[in-house]
Amino acid sequence: MEKPNLTYINKLAREDVSVKNTLINVIKNEFPIEVKEYYNSIEKNNFKEIEANVHRIKHKFSILGLEENYENANKFEHNLRESKIEVIEKEKFEQILDVISEYLKTI
């Protein structure tokens, strides 16, 4: 399984610590809110909302170096457009949400 990392953030920051810290803080602030919104939309079984939440969250995957998980989230999002939830895609998506949540506590 891929592990979150700061490679892309470091590349964007170009060794500017304040830029790096700003990017990290944005992710640390936005991610928990977006995850909560995702789970709320799951509870309501609202496919449009779930899709919108997945769309917002998946970009954090690529920023944190999770390209394979980004592609899985893309598939999940596509199926949501067709009002389908594939259990395996949903489980993978939610598993990486947990991994990222734990990782963000360490940076």
Side-chain angles (χ1 to χ4, degrees):
M1 173 186 272
E2 291 177 298
K3 297 196 186 300
N5 62 73
L6 298 178
T7 303
Y8 184 70
I9 289 174
N10 288 331
K11 185 186 257 188
L12 285 176
R14 295 183 182 174
E15 298 182 30
D16 185 326
V17 175
S18 67
V19 171
K20 177 181 175 179
N21 289 337
T22 298
L23 293 169
I24 290 170
N25 285 330
V26 167
I27 291 171
K28 288 176 91 170
N29 290 323
E30 289 180 357
F31 189 76
I33 294 166
E34 292 171 344
V35 169
K36 184 177 180 179
E37 290 172 352
Y38 164 78
Y39 282 112
N40 287 338
S41 63
I42 287 286
E43 283 182 26
K44 294 187 286 185
N45 205 33
N46 184 322
F47 285 94
K48 274 196 166 296
E49 279 185 31
I50 300 167
E51 177 190 350
N53 296 134
V54 170
H55 182 78
R56 279 191 298 277
I57 293 169
K58 76 177 181 181
H59 295 294
K60 305 285 190 304
F61 291 7
S62 62
I63 291 169
L64 292 171
L66 301 165
E67 296 303 321
E68 183 179 311
N69 287 284
Y70 178 87
E71 292 304 320
N72 289 335
N74 254 348
K75 291 176 193 172
F76 185 36
E77 180 185 7
H78 176 75
N79 285 330
L80 289 165
R81 274 188 215 120
E82 297 174 7
S83 297
K84 294 189 303 188
I85 292 183
E86 298 291 333
V87 175
I88 292 175
E89 289 172 354
K90 180 180 176 286
E91 288 174 356
K92 285 181 181 180
F93 184 80
E94 291 175 0
Q95 182 180 24
I96 200 63
L97 294 181
D98 292 340
V99 169
I100 292 171
S101 294
E102 288 303 309
Y103 177 72
L104 293 177
K105 293 176 187 176
T106 69
I107 59 173

